[in-house]
């Protein structure tokens, strides 16, 4: 954290958290009763070699607390990572919503964001093929507003009643609890095949969107259609978006699997480090808006959570920005105990009748009661609103508030009927008075029955390389499915999305290609370019480059490091040893990694320093060539100058040396301009045109 940030005015949430923070430094050890402890190493015993005595209250208190340290993990999204920050709107949104935090661009609303995977347990790896959760709690002056979204704009199912079934299918199979954090198994694919509404989301989860490079480089979506309501009571339908300022970028599948072993904390480490080094993650807040009158003017039902609104038809208006600026003090107190709920809204934000959303409105409070041990979880510091709380709710497990006076009911005369309700003009929440009329039925609306058009649209929107990745994702995932009939039924489903895709997958998994194709009838745009990650923002900022150098590295090395750092890149030296290493011309750099402690998987690009002595040292490391080869295989930019090029020649096949993204210069070439070319290559992220 920079000096300036340290002295930044604390926001209201941080001030509130201050009153709960405890710093043990320089303090005396006590029991929970505040009694000073004289010994914390040896229990009280009847004689040095005798039994421990019940009387040892300190031992019993310490052990009892320890025995109860764990709480149930979240039933879904168990593994997550969070940070604090703030949100600012770009311009007043008065015409579409009365939400207070969306009115004044000078107001910074404190936020806490938790990113997560869905299927894996709390201790699972970050880099798995999965949807990522993207939950934001806005601590507004009108109360907490939670936007509980994902990094994909649609969902697997259309009705919340199927959620337990879907989650049972995706989680490890119950008889043996295998596999962890993976969708590559029979029950998941059996569910997909038997519930064709999953088709669109299935395509997203087989795409590179399920393999984010970083939490900082993925989009966020509210998924459902919500309503924004203005002061006059006029409503618009909206979809919420988060657009990462660094663009949307992914890892490749092979990399994901290996990183899961090399650094299971890859994403949380990345977020933590970015914030610690002042590279604050930024996301622009976007709205897609549809007038209520236009509800039925689309070839999809806007209440159907398996449909997105193509940005080319309903543009995303960027209306604000969120910046994450502060890591947590304590993972458990903040990230683990935060409780989100799509039903935590403020005046000006309302719901739609999306049946998935309607069910969520029940589930979230309910789950916190068992997860956080009772109904008073809103009093946990991270969950407390900065707006005052006054009501007649009382008691329950772990109650912290000390409510005064005899009255705990509404309407009362004794306390002048306080706490009193508020009119909408005073900020009282008023539900949107939507007219509802219908028979009680258990049914799917006909308008929800087109399962394939948007799945096909998604596929059509992909670039050749994205299509290749999706195809091999299906080959991998279905290749792990044991039951032939399940594999076959997924191929039958794929026929409805794209017969060529089905044809490319079927032979690899021993399935047959059926002749019948039930193509959907609804017309949709053939593609939506906004869905392709090739059309995202490319930037070198915060990319991580491995500088491979040993003692005696040449003088260009420090120029390259400087150029990278000026472009906002993090350059970290990988060497044969840790600590300072001396180069030519009296230069010194600090090696943070060795080939043993690191891996090119953990970097976005690599640079091989010149200098004969340096290259000889590197060449004597048995893992060095693999380091380079793997970076090549994962399409990463590779830079080298002078003797570094000679090392590259040994590591790669001759025909690969001129492949895209290999930036080299020898003394014969003009070294000037090398730095810029290499920085450009780092910004390009990956070079997909390489032959492997
Ligand atoms: Fe959910 C957690 C997102 C459908 C029930 N959900 C949870 C989290 C995210 C989402 C990001 C983690 C919150 C955190 O970080 O603490 N969920 C979604 C999205 C959905 C969705 C984007 C569809 C559009 N969820 C959904 C349905 C139900 C639930 C249909 C049940 C009816 N979700 C839960 C839950 C969780 C949860 C069981 C587990 C932990 C928690 O709530 O706090 O209540």
């Amino acid at each position: 954290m920079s000096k300036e940030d340290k002295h930044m005015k604390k926001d209201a949430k941080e001030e509130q958290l201050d009153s709960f923070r405890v710093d043990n430094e320089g303090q005396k050890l006590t029991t929970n009763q505040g009694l000073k402890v004289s010994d914390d190493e040896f229990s009280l015993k009847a004689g040095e070699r005798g039994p421990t005595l019940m009387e040892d209250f300190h031992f019993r208190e310490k052990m009892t607390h320890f025995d109860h340290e764990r709480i149930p993990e979240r039933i879904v999204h168990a593994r997550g990572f969070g940070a604090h920050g703030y949100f600012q709107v770009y311009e007043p949104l008065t015409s579409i919503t009365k939400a207070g935090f969306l009115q004044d661009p000078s107001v910074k609303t404190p936020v806490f964001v938790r990113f997560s995977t869905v299927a894996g347990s709390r201790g699972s790896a970050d880099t798995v093929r999965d949807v990522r959760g993207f939950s934001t709690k806005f601590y507004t002056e009108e109360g907490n507003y939670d936007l509980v979204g994902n990094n994909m704009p649609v969902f697997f199912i259309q009705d919340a009643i199927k959620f337990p079934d879907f989650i049972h299918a995706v989680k490890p199979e119950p008889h043996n609890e295998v596999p962890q954090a993976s969708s590559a198994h029979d029950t998941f694919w059996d569910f997909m095949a038997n519930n064709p509404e999953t088709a669109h989301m299935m395509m997203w989860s087989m795409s590179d969107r399920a393999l984010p490079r970083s939490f900082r480089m993925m989009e966020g979506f509210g998924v459902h259609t919500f309503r924004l309501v203005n002061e006059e009571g006029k409503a618009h339908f909206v979809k919420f978006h988060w657009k990462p300022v660094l663009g949307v970028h992914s890892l490749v599948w092979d990399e994901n699997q290996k990183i899961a072993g090399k650094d299971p904390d890859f994403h949380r480490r990345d977020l933590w480090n970015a914030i610690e080094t002042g590279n604050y993650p930024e996301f622009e807040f976007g709205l897609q808006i549809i007038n209520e009158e236009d509800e039925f003017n689309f070839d999809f039902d806007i209440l159907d959570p398996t449909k997105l609104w193509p940005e080319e038809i309903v543009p995303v208006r960027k209306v604000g920005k969120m910046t994450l600026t502060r890591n947590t003090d304590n993972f458990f107190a903040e990230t683990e105990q935060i409780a989100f709920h799509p039903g935590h809204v403020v005046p000006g934000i309302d719901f739609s009748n999306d049946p998935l959303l309607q069910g969520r409105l029940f589930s979230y409070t309910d789950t916190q009661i068992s997860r956080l041990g009772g109904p008073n979880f809103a009093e946990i510091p991270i969950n407390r609103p900065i707006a005052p709380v006054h009501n007649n709710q009382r008691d329950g497990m772990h109650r912290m508030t000390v409510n005064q006076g005899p009255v705990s009911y509404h309407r009362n005369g004794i306390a002048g009927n306080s706490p009193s309700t508020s009119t909408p003009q005073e900020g009282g929440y008023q539900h949107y008075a939507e007219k509802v009329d219908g028979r009680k039925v258990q049914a799917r609306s006909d308008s929800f029955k087109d399962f394939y058009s948007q799945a096909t649209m998604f596929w059509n929107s992909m670039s050749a390389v994205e299509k290749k990745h999706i195809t091999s994702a299906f080959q991998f995932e279905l290749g792990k499915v044991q039951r032939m009939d399940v594999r076959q039924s997924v191929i039958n489903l794929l026929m409805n999305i794209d017969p060529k895709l089905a044809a490319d997958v079927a032979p690899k998994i021993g399935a047959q290609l059926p002749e019948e194709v039930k193509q959907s009838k609804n017309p949709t745009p053939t593609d939506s370019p906004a869905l392709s990650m090739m059309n995202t923002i490319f930037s070198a900022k915060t990319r991580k480059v491995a500088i491979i150098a040993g003692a005696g590295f040449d003088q260009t090395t420090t120029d390259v490091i400087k150029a990278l750092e000026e472009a906002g890149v993090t350059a970290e030296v990988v060497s044969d040893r840790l600590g300072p290493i001396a180069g030519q011309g009296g230069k010194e750099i600090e090696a943070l990694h060795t080939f043993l402690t690191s891996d090119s998987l953990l970097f976005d690009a690599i640079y091989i320093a010149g200098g004969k002595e340096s290259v000889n040292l590197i060449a004597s490391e048995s893992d060095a060539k693999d380091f380079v080869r793997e970076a090549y295989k994962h399409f990463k930019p590779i830079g080298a100058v002078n003797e570094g090029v000679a090392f590259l020649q040994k590591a790669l096949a001759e025909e690969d040396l001129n492949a895209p993204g290999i930036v080299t210069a020898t003394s014969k070439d003009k070294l000037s301009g090398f730095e810029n070319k290499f920085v450009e290559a780092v910004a390009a992220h990956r070079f997909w045109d390489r032959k492997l």
Side-chain angles (χ1 to χ4, degrees):
M1 197 185 274
S2 74
K3 224 175 175 184
E4 194 191 323
D5 295 325
K6 271 195 180 143
H7 295 108
M8 239 164 42
K9 206 175 144 280
K10 282 189 177 174
D11 63 41
K13 184 64 195 174
E14 216 188 328
E15 271 176 15
Q16 186 191 54
L17 286 173
D18 263 348
S19 57
F20 297 96
R21 288 186 170 118
V22 174
D23 183 358
N24 280 341
E25 205 174 311
Q27 302 296 331
K28 292 285 189 191
L29 185 79
T30 70
T31 65
N32 285 334
Q33 310 311 314
L35 177 74
K36 285 185 186 140
V37 172
S38 61
D39 189 308
D40 196 28
E41 287 181 87
F42 305 105
S43 53
L44 184 71
K45 292 184 273 297
E48 277 173 18
R49 300 181 63 253
T52 301
L53 299 176
M54 274 278 270
E55 182 187 323
D56 190 348
F57 53 81
H58 170 54
F59 167 80
R60 278 191 285 114
E61 184 197 79
K62 182 177 174 182
M63 201 52 67
T64 305
H65 196 277
F66 171 75
D67 290 342
H68 298 270
E69 269 177 15
R70 292 287 168 268
I71 62 170
E73 65 174 35
R74 288 166 174 82
I75 173 76
V76 281
H77 298 265
R79 181 169 179 82
F81 204 65
H84 295 267
Y86 61 87
F87 172 80
Q88 263 177 308
V89 73
Y90 289 151
E91 53 185 326
L93 296 179
T94 323
S95 62
I96 45 168
T97 178
K98 60 181 172 182
F101 77 106
L102 296 174
Q103 305 304 326
D104 184 351
S106 71
V107 171
K108 285 184 174 181
T109 300
V111 297
F112 188 87
V113 175
R114 183 175 180 272
F115 301 106
S116 48
T117 53
V118 179
S121 59
R122 221 188 112 178
S124 57
D126 282 344
T127 56
V128 292
R129 176 176 294 283
D130 201 353
V131 183
R132 299 301 187 286
F134 191 138
S135 304
T136 309
K137 192 179 282 293
F138 298 79
Y139 301 97
T140 90
E141 285 169 15
E142 297 174 298
N144 289 348
Y145 168 54
D146 292 355
L147 180 52
V148 195
N150 280 341
N151 75 330
M152 298 180 190
V154 288
F155 202 65
F156 291 97
I157 47 169
Q158 294 171 321
D159 192 313
I161 198 168
K162 279 195 184 188
F163 190 69
D165 303 292
F166 165 63
I167 296 302
H168 286 171
V170 67
K171 283 268 186 182
E173 295 184 13
H175 58 309
N176 58 9
E177 226 197 15
V178 175
Q180 179 58 242
S182 165
S183 48
H185 61 110
D186 288 41
T187 56
F188 176 80
W189 288 101
D190 188 36
F191 186 89
M192 297 288 115
N194 282 292
N195 296 271
E197 70 206 75
T198 56
H200 187 191
M201 182 63 162
M202 181 175 86
M203 297 300 288
W204 280 84
S205 48
M206 290 304 107
S207 80
D208 292 350
R209 299 280 184 141
L211 318 172
R213 154 66 182 86
S214 159
F215 292 137
R216 304 175 291 122
M217 297 171 200
M218 56 184 209
E219 288 183 294
F221 302 90
V223 182
H224 313 284
T225 296
F226 289 88
R227 274 193 174 87
L228 287 181
V229 186
N230 68 14
E231 202 69 61
E232 287 77 49
K234 171 141 182 65
H236 289 87
F237 290 115
V238 288
K239 290 260 194 209
F240 296 119
H241 294 248
W242 291 114
K243 299 263 183 198
V245 169
L246 294 173
V248 188
H249 301 280
S250 288
L251 300 167
V252 296
W253 179 229
D254 179 61
E255 224 181 343
N256 269 267
Q257 294 182 80
K258 291 173 177 167
I259 293 175
K262 289 271 180 185
D263 185 6
D265 304 311
F266 186 74
H267 284 144
R268 51 172 66 180
R269 195 186 302 284
D270 169 272
L271 188 71
W272 177 276
N273 286 345
I275 293 174
E276 287 302 297
T277 52
N279 290 313
Y280 299 142
E282 293 175 312
F283 299 87
E284 286 191 289
F285 190 50
L287 300 179
Q288 281 180 298
I289 303 174
I290 289 182
N291 290 329
E292 284 217 303
E293 308 80 83
D294 295 330
E295 180 173 359
F296 301 107
N297 291 346
F298 298 90
D299 55 21
F300 48 85
D301 192 325
I302 65 162
L303 299 185
D304 177 356
T306 66
K307 303 294 183 301
L308 54 82
W309 302 353
E311 292 186 25
E312 294 75 14
I313 299 177
V314 188
V316 177
R317 178 174 156 200
K318 290 181 181 162
V319 298
K321 192 163 78 179
M322 174 167 76
T323 312
L324 301 181
T325 52
R326 200 159 51 79
N327 281 315
T328 52
D329 288 308
N330 184 287
F331 180 89
F332 180 84
E334 297 169 84
T335 309
E336 194 59 15
Q337 292 203 106
I338 195 158
F340 292 97
H341 177 23
H344 292 161
V345 287
V346 289
I349 302 182
D350 213 309
F351 314 110
S352 73
N353 293 333
D354 171 346
L356 193 71
L357 172 60
Q358 292 286 320
R360 290 180 77 193
L361 295 178
F362 164 73
S363 182
Y364 286 71
T365 300
D366 187 45
T367 203
Q368 315 306 348
I369 292 171
S370 64
R371 191 172 76 82
L372 297 170
N376 287 317
F377 59 85
E379 296 188 339
I380 296 171
I382 194 67
N383 293 326
R384 285 178 182 239
I386 56 166
V389 174
H390 296 284
N391 58 43
N392 295 310
Q393 294 170 35
R394 291 290 186 273
D395 310 345
M397 300 281 261
H398 320 301
R399 184 69 174 177
M400 310 246 283
T401 307
V402 182
N403 293 106
Q404 294 175 306
V407 174
S408 56
Y409 51 90
H410 189 81
R411 304 191 58 99
N412 69 71
I414 295 175
N417 201 26
S418 61
S420 57
T421 54
S422 307
T423 63
Q425 291 69 34
E426 291 168 331
Y429 187 87
Q430 197 180 34
H431 290 268
Y432 180 65
E434 181 187 2
K435 186 170 183 310
V436 183
D437 188 13
R439 290 183 189 282
K440 290 183 194 168
V441 285
Q442 284 194 289
R444 190 194 317 256
S445 164
D446 280 343
S447 56
F448 277 41
K449 288 181 182 162
D450 167 24
F451 304 141
Y452 303 116
S453 298
Q454 287 210 349
T456 306
M457 175 184 77
F458 180 77
W459 172 253
N460 290 348
S461 311
M462 297 291 104
S463 62
V465 61
E466 287 167 302
K467 282 185 173 167
K468 199 171 150 197
H469 291 173
I470 292 172
T471 308
S472 53
F474 275 108
Q475 292 168 348
F476 175 95
E477 291 269 321
L478 295 171
K480 296 275 180 184
V481 169
Q482 304 292 308
R483 292 171 180 78
M484 185 59 224
D485 56 327
V486 174
R487 302 207 288 270
Q488 184 61 54
S489 50
V490 178
I491 293 297
N492 300 350
L493 183 85
L494 279 184
M495 286 295 285
N496 298 306
I497 300 171
D498 187 82
K500 164 92 171 58
L501 171 61
D504 287 344
V505 178
K508 296 275 183 190
I509 57 163
Q512 302 300 316
L513 207 57
E515 277 163 24
E516 195 197 347
V517 181
K518 296 186 218 100
Q519 285 288 15
S520 59
K521 289 161 209 82
N522 282 18
T524 40
T526 50
D527 67 354
S528 165
L531 300 180
S532 169
M533 286 171 49
M534 295 298 143
N535 300 326
T536 189
I537 299 160
F538 288 88
S539 162
K541 275 194 194 136
T542 77
R543 295 277 162 174
K544 229 174 127 185
V545 177
I547 308 290
I548 301 181
F553 57 85
D554 70 4
Q555 302 210 32
T556 315
T557 314
T558 43
D559 296 340
V560 171
I561 293 176
K562 191 164 162 255
L564 287 169
E565 285 174 351
E566 278 170 7
V569 173
T570 305
E572 291 182 359
V573 177
V574 181
S575 191
D576 62 325
R577 72 201 57 209
L578 295 180
I581 47 177
Q584 294 169 14
K587 302 268 168 82
E588 199 175 85
I589 52 180
E590 174 91 11
L592 294 181
H593 314 275
T594 64
F595 292 98
L596 192 66
T597 63
S598 189
D599 200 294
S600 73
L601 294 162
L602 308 175
F603 294 91
D604 295 295
I606 61 173
Y607 172 78
I608 306 158
K612 204 169 165 202
E613 194 193 337
S614 166
V615 166
N616 284 345
L617 273 173
I618 297 304
S620 66
E621 290 287 309
S622 56
D623 293 331
K625 276 189 195 152
D626 284 345
F627 200 99
V628 176
R629 282 194 204 113
E630 190 134 62
Y632 180 86
K633 187 180 156 196
H634 293 141
F635 312 97
K636 293 176 180 174
I638 300 177
V641 300
N642 302 329
E643 293 85 352
V645 180
F647 179 73
L648 195 58
Q649 281 163 347
K650 283 191 200 130
L652 297 183
E654 203 184 324
E655 64 271 22
D656 296 339
L657 292 167
N658 296 321
I662 308 289
V663 189
T664 55
T666 58
S667 42
K668 283 180 225 135
D669 300 313
K670 281 191 197 120
L671 270 171
S672 71
F674 170 83
E675 286 97 339
N676 286 346
K677 275 194 213 146
F678 185 51
V679 168
E680 270 171 36
V682 173
H685 185 50
R686 300 291 162 106
F687 291 86
W688 303 114
D689 293 338
R690 279 183 199 161
K691 287 198 189 72
L692 296 181

